[in-house]
Amino acid sequence: MDKSSEEKSSWLDRLSWPMLFAAAVLLGIAPVQPEPHLVEKVRMLLQGTLHRPIDIFDLVMHSAPLFLIGLKWWKEVQRKRGTPA
């Protein structure tokens, strides 16, 4: 692995688990009333009504911490197996 690929992936290693989980919870439930945005946008996606750019942006923004948790977890599993991530 060359230095540039190490630099690209090291930002994920510097993100702490507690910070990622806090961001996932806060963005996952915000705003609570009338319904969390993440729940609303996933429902819209499954119903096929997710068309407006603001709704797509909301889905990406509110699910980003969950994506980062999955990516960080996958990378650590690969590292423990000895496989390059």
Side-chain angles (χ1 to χ4, degrees):
M1 183 176 346
D2 63 348
K3 186 168 175 73
S4 64
S5 61
E6 285 180 16
E7 289 174 2
K8 288 179 187 174
S9 64
S10 65
W11 65 271
L12 188 59
D13 295 331
R14 289 191 301 261
L15 291 175
S16 69
W17 284 107
M19 184 182 74
L20 283 174
F21 284 120
V25 168
L26 289 174
L27 281 174
I29 64 170
V32 178
Q33 294 295 333
E35 164 178 54
H37 267 7
L38 188 56
V39 172
E40 176 188 9
K41 301 311 174 193
V42 168
R43 182 177 43 77
M44 289 173 69
L45 180 66
L46 294 174
Q47 291 174 347
T49 59
L50 189 72
H51 300 295
R52 296 183 346 188
I54 189 69
D55 292 331
I56 296 167
F57 172 77
D58 267 352
L59 176 63
V60 170
M61 183 183 72
H62 287 274
S63 63
L66 294 172
F67 175 75
L68 290 174
I69 287 171
L71 190 61
K72 185 174 176 84
W73 173 79
W74 176 78
K75 186 175 177 186
E76 288 196 9
V77 167
Q78 294 301 317
R79 186 179 301 134
K80 286 179 184 177
R81 289 174 143 181
T83 334

